[in-house]
Amino acid sequence: MVDKTLSVAEWKKFSKGKDLKDAALLKALEALDKAQKAAPDVQLKVLDEIDKQANVLLKAAKGDKPLSAYLGDMDKALTSERKALEQAIKDLAKAQAKASSSDEDEDSPATLTTLMVSLLRQLRKGEVRMSTLIALAPKDMAVLISRKTITPARRKLLADELGVSGGLKYIVGECLFEEGFYTFVVQAPAAGLAKRLKAALLKQTGLRLKVRVRGEGADDLDDEGDEIDAEERDTAPQVESGKAGTETPAASTGGITAEQLTAAMNKLSPKIKALVMANPALKASLLAPVAAFQEHVKAGRLPQAGAEIKRLAALLASPVASPDPALLDQALAAWTQARTAVLAQLLALEKAIRGMKDPEGDAAIILVKAIQANLTARPDSRQAVAELERYISTDDIIDEAQGPNGFGLTVEIRTPLLAALSKVRAALPA
């Protein structure tokens, strides 16, 4: 809460009955009242305007000692507020830099899959550019997107994804979202890259995206829209045509409909039943992605439904292995550490909301507490991990909590928790 000398009510109380030309100053003070929930840099601009108008008023009313004294107190309050806001901006920058570096300190299997989905969602907002590294094999491709500069050491991650140890060509660039396309600006000729990038992103994330590539020349452009090309049609789920007029529109999935996805899931059903009969312990881990798939289809989230099919197919193809207790303990410890850090951020956000004393604050606090309650302390089964992954990846309240909050607080939930859950899942029996 700002100093009372900067409040509209206090100024009106002081200026009542005085013949002051204070309309501009009053307007600036009203702007400060409205900016209390805004970002620190926005509030700084409002403070500058108050300072400017206070000086104008002081010059116009020379010799007014009460006014001079009040504006002197106002100047002290402005200095104090400005110092606090500048420190908040510095703290926010440090926190964001720390979060950005810690997100990618250690690559995990989720770096090229689950975490990529989160980064693509951020890119779609159109406010950021991210670094990219593309690895090309003769018949395959893998791509890495990162918030920070990608070092040569991370080439191994892409080589492992492609299953080769050499003979790869690497292309460095940036990715942004413009004109409805995920645009890759690369240091190489663009010809033919868009189609291959689109296929690589589909394989890694389960998402069919509109991709554009800009090369080194001004006219060097290659794009791949949302129409399914021949190669993608061969790899897409093949189903029999339904009755006319029954297919669900699916512009967001490049033409793949809910009916096609459901048919693809149904094809996996006999394998699921057979594996559960052979090993009942796998029932929970196999049915979790099925439940997630059904929820995504019902809500119209077809790209996420496709990702669940991919995850289930991977589970069905995985050999059944005995868990390593030590590895699982390490993974759960990493989850606990990530969860504790997120809970601390949510607690700070809760305190900041409470400090606003806003009538709507209680409702916001309830939503923040709901996130805390849903973060299971010990997800030591595949079902628990799957439920957490589904919740963290799709919940709209998490989107709101991670968005700009006006308090100078960094709240990062999805990236660290999904990375930790990936390690837990890898340590659990198939």
Side-chain angles (χ1 to χ4, degrees):
M1 182 178 293
V2 298
D3 189 282
K4 66 177 184 178
T5 57
L6 298 175
S7 70
V8 173
E10 197 69 19
W11 174 253
K12 286 183 175 180
K13 180 180 177 182
F14 168 79
S15 61
K16 186 177 181 180
K18 296 181 173 63
D19 187 19
L20 298 173
K21 297 180 179 179
D22 62 347
L25 177 59
L26 182 59
K27 183 178 179 181
L29 291 172
E30 289 173 345
L32 182 62
D33 277 354
K34 295 177 181 179
Q36 290 306 299
K37 299 179 183 179
D41 58 335
V42 175
Q43 295 185 52
L44 278 175
K45 292 180 181 179
V46 178
L47 294 183
D48 290 341
E49 181 63 18
I50 293 173
D51 190 25
K52 174 184 175 181
Q53 297 305 330
N55 287 329
V56 170
L57 184 60
L58 184 61
K59 290 178 181 178
K62 289 183 179 180
D64 189 329
K65 292 184 178 180
L67 175 63
S68 179
Y70 189 98
L71 294 181
D73 291 339
M74 183 179 286
D75 184 63
K76 293 178 182 177
L78 286 170
T79 300
S80 177
E81 290 293 327
R82 187 177 285 108
K83 183 178 180 180
L85 289 170
E86 288 173 347
Q87 185 60 49
I89 291 174
K90 291 179 182 179
D91 292 343
L92 178 59
K94 290 180 181 178
Q96 290 176 335
K98 182 178 179 181
S100 178
S101 62
S102 62
D103 285 347
E104 297 163 347
D105 280 346
E106 184 178 353
D107 287 324
S108 72
T111 303
L112 298 177
T113 54
T114 310
L115 297 185
M116 285 269 284
V117 174
S118 176
L119 294 177
L120 289 167
R121 185 183 295 115
Q122 294 176 40
L123 280 167
R124 190 173 181 83
K125 295 178 181 179
E127 301 171 355
V128 294
R129 297 170 71 103
M130 298 187 186
S131 300
T132 62
L133 179 63
I134 303 167
L136 287 86
K139 295 184 179 181
D140 208 351
M141 173 189 283
V143 57
L144 170 64
I145 300 175
S146 173
R147 278 186 291 265
K148 64 179 184 178
T149 301
I150 299 174
T151 63
R154 305 189 78 191
R155 292 182 176 185
K156 183 178 183 300
L157 179 67
L158 296 175
D160 291 344
E161 172 71 9
L162 295 173
V164 297
S165 58
L168 296 176
K169 178 182 178 181
Y170 293 95
I171 299 176
V172 176
E174 288 185 318
C175 184
L176 65 152
F177 190 79
E178 61 178 11
E179 300 177 355
F181 284 83
Y182 286 91
T183 302
F184 291 79
V185 184
V186 300
Q187 300 173 17
L193 288 179
K195 180 178 179 179
R196 297 187 66 184
L197 272 170
K198 181 177 180 180
L201 290 168
L202 173 63
K203 179 180 178 182
Q204 292 174 219
T205 68
L207 303 178
R208 290 182 180 270
L209 307 172
K210 295 174 67 176
V211 175
R212 171 186 291 166
V213 179
R214 290 210 306 262
E216 297 173 309
D219 299 326
D220 190 7
L221 186 67
D222 183 36
D223 64 56
E224 187 70 20
D226 56 359
E227 294 295 322
I228 302 180
D229 57 49
E231 181 178 344
E232 288 171 340
R233 190 175 293 111
D234 290 340
T235 59
Q238 299 297 306
V239 297
E240 297 180 359
S241 299
K243 294 181 181 180
T246 61
E247 290 193 349
T248 303
S252 63
T253 57
I256 297 301
T257 66
E259 285 77 10
Q260 287 176 303
L261 290 171
T262 301
M265 176 62 80
N266 290 339
K267 286 184 178 180
L268 298 178
S269 181
K271 295 182 180 179
I272 296 172
K273 292 179 180 179
L275 193 54
V276 169
M277 288 182 64
N279 191 344
L282 298 177
K283 182 177 180 179
S285 61
L286 291 172
L287 293 185
V290 175
F293 169 84
Q294 292 171 342
E295 287 184 15
H296 286 313
V297 170
K298 185 177 181 181
R301 298 188 294 264
L302 302 190
Q304 291 91 329
E308 292 298 337
I309 292 178
K310 179 181 177 182
R311 184 157 69 96
L312 182 58
L315 288 174
L316 292 171
S318 300
V320 179
S322 300
D324 183 339
L327 186 61
L328 179 59
D329 287 343
Q330 292 175 8
L332 288 171
W335 161 256
T336 299
Q337 183 178 4
R339 176 178 178 271
T340 300
V342 168
L343 291 179
Q345 294 175 20
L346 291 173
L347 181 60
L349 179 61
E350 179 185 336
K351 289 181 178 178
I353 296 171
R354 199 181 300 279
M356 291 167 47
K357 298 183 179 179
D358 190 302
E360 298 181 359
D362 288 343
I365 289 172
I366 290 173
L367 296 179
V368 172
K369 286 184 174 295
I371 298 175
Q372 299 172 5
N374 283 319
L375 300 181
T376 307
R378 186 177 174 84
D380 53 3
S381 69
R382 283 197 169 270
Q383 181 176 2
V385 170
E387 289 174 352
L388 275 170
E389 287 179 326
R390 182 171 66 252
Y391 167 69
I392 294 169
S393 298
T394 63
D395 190 74
D396 291 338
I397 299 175
I398 291 179
D399 284 331
E400 295 295 329
Q402 291 190 143
N405 51 53
F407 302 118
L409 299 175
T410 297
V411 179
E412 185 68 33
I413 301 173
R414 283 201 173 97
T415 299
L417 293 187
L418 288 175
L421 285 172
S422 177
K423 295 177 182 179
V424 175
R425 179 162 28 85
L428 288 168

